[in-house]
Amino acid sequence: MQVEVLLYEGFDELDGVGPYEVFQTAGAFGGEVEARTVSLDGSGRVTASHGLRVGVDGALGDPDVLVVPGGGWNAGDDRPGARREAERGAVPTAIRDRHETGAIVASVCTGGMLLAEAGVLDGRPAVTHAGALDDLRATRAEVVDARVVDDGDVLTAGGITSGLDLALHLVSRLCGGDVADRVTTELEYDRDPSRVVVTGEADE
């Protein structure tokens, strides 16, 4: 199971790195999952919203799971981040293309706004960061009061740390509860399945 975390200028550090660590830890504990960080073209380094510079493993491919972090949505369209990428259009197009070819698409925080721009949230339950909920309500998504929403092949998570809940839920779904429990113990995190609202049928 190949997971790719799509990074772009201005993404929030924890949105991307948190799920990456969860998936890689799951792989170390016997889960058939491997994560890598990618950008659209795979070149150079990406500067995150708080200044961390991150190298990527390569260009976006055709993963089984695509994780889209948020970041910078409320900082204005003159700064790098999700809002600028939504306006540019290349990232939403890539998200839509991967979803149409069968990838599970998951967003963290305002990465959900990029999924909305891609059209993959049309008519579907979803959540995003509290500071962007009104923007999400203005799209065709159906906003749900939840930390994580699992609608089968599309998952969304609320605020920044909810990326851990999202990733642990996907590990449980794709690799089994035992692996998810081991990862949770390793991270010393309080995993609570009740934080996840499952609205769609999982296609594993």
Side-chain angles (χ1 to χ4, degrees), residues 57-160:
D57 296 316
L60 176 63
D62 294 304
D64 301 294
V65 180
L66 174 61
V67 178
V68 182
W73 181 262
N74 294 317
D77 55 11
D78 60 334
R79 294 183 59 184
R83 187 180 294 274
R84 179 184 288 185
E85 296 304 327
E87 292 175 350
R88 287 179 171 175
V91 168
T93 296
I95 294 168
R96 181 171 57 253
D97 289 347
R98 275 29 178 219
H99 181 249
E100 288 178 348
T101 56
I104 296 171
V105 176
S107 66
V108 181
C109 194
T110 55
M113 298 307 302
L114 291 169
L115 268 59
E117 183 67 22
V120 301
L121 298 185
D122 289 359
R124 304 185 73 155
V127 69
T128 188
H129 188 279
L133 283 174
D134 285 344
D135 290 331
L136 186 60
R137 290 188 183 99
T139 72
R140 296 182 178 179
E142 298 177 1
V143 176
V144 175
D145 181 12
R147 187 166 172 83
V148 177
V149 178
D150 179 347
D151 196 42
D153 59 345
V154 175
L155 296 90
T156 53
I160 299 165

Side-chain angles (χ1 to χ4, degrees), residues 153-177:
D153 59 345
V154 175
L155 296 90
T156 53
I160 299 165
T161 59
S162 65
L164 296 172
D165 296 285
L166 171 81
L168 287 165
H169 171 70
L170 271 171
V171 166
S172 180
R173 179 176 140 181
L174 301 173
C175 304

